[in-house]
Amino acid sequence: MHDTFTDWIDQDTLENLNITHLAESFSTAKPFPYLVIENFLSEEKQQVLLTAIKEEPFLEKFSDLFSFKQTHDLSGTSVAVLKEFRSFLSSKPFLHLIEKITDLELTEGIIDLHGSLYEKADYLLCHDDDLQGRKIAFMFYLSDLDKGDGGLLELYDEHEGDAGEIKERVVPKKGSLAFFAIDGHPYHAVSEIIKDKQRYAIAGWFHG
Amino acid sequence: MDKINQAYLTDQAVNETASVFKETGHLTLSDFFTHHTYQEFSKIASRSAFQKNGIPNKYHFGSANIPKKLMDFLHHQEFLDYLSDILGIDVHQLTSGMLYQFKHKDYTLLHDDLTLEPGIDLVFEFTPEWNDQAGGEITYTKEGDAFSLPIKANSFSIINRTEEHRFVRYVNCHAKDQKRWFVLVTLEVQ
């Protein structure tokens, strides 16, 4: 593994990383291929990233589909830590890791990356992320939530081309990495936050 | 026509309403029904038996057939004549319409499968009380611009929908136990 990994990834996670096992978990996951690696980011980097992303301006985003706050694409950030994080995610070793887990070929150097913030009454309704070029959607959670807070990543099965029922719910935990493939109809949503909590994440897409 | 607020039925009022509609393509009239009629209609609306409709990537809400008493009003020749004067076209019958119920977690989304034919939307609002932070507005969008109808009891809106898309904003937790009811009827325009 490249030395860069030791800066960002939690030591225990790194030592116990079993690519074969992760790849199998990913490909056999229901309702569609996805994976959550808890404690992926080191504790130190979780805190550093959270402090850094709060320095970025968040814009309110509102449409039929969502209500939340989002930064600009982080390709334009002047915050050093975020530039380094973006480099890490765009690096060959990290892309290679994701490629080995997902068995998908990703395009080096193309990455969409932004910070997101959900607060009380914010939500992202059910959709499938189907936009040209996108191959993997990923998110690094920087906040701890409980199931009763809302803000859960909800994964739906498919029914005659539309979304069916929620089959999995991911509760955001600080430092976790979650990702899923865009192929097919990976219908998903972020449930409305119903308590006075803040849900920070750094998320984006890999292309291929 | 003893059901409509008399203030809207004078020649001057009809001409003004028609003029606003012609100029802007949409308008909302407050206190449209008489107090007695509104109480009657809103009671019937809120007590209807609603069927749940839900395809998560498209919509989630309750709906019911328009109650008979309200349907009788919509088909009444005097109301059709009033509409004809406002719209500047001959209205012979109202085509499609339903009574809707939206509460916390209900919504509709813009979706290619749900594209609407151009038409004139008539919206009768029967929501008694609503937190304006709760969402749930009927919203029209066109090329990045958007406007929403006010959620105000006893309002009547007319919208000339040519290229606009329409959706109902997600009703969020600020709604608590409140529910909103409205009748939406569309006239097809050739």
Side-chain angles (χ1 to χ4, degrees), chain B residues 102-122:
Chain B
F102 280 74
K103 53 186 171 55
H104 183 206
K105 299 189 185 186
D106 286 339
Y107 59 89
T108 72
L109 291 172
L110 298 173
H111 195 285
D112 288 343
D113 291 354
L114 303 173
T115 311
L116 301 165
E117 292 296 315
I120 296 177
D121 289 346
L122 310 177

Side-chain angles (χ1 to χ4, degrees), chain A residues 62-66 120-121 123 125-127 156 161-165 187 191-195, chain B residues 54-58 104-105 107-111 113 133 137 167-174:
Chain A
F62 201 17
S63 77
D64 61 317
L65 190 62
F66 50 70
K120 189 172 180 180
Y123 55 87
L125 296 174
C126 182
H127 66 291
Y156 291 75
D162 286 317
E165 290 179 348
Y187 286 112
S191 64
E192 181 194 354
I193 299 223
I194 57 173
K195 303 272 175 73
Chain B
I55 299 179
N57 56 309
K58 290 177 178 169
H104 183 206
K105 299 189 185 186
Y107 59 89
T108 72
L109 291 172
L110 298 173
H111 195 285
D113 291 354
Q133 301 293 311
E137 301 96 334
F167 66 92
V168 179
R169 282 202 171 133
Y170 175 81
V171 178
N172 66 45
C173 59
H174 292 301

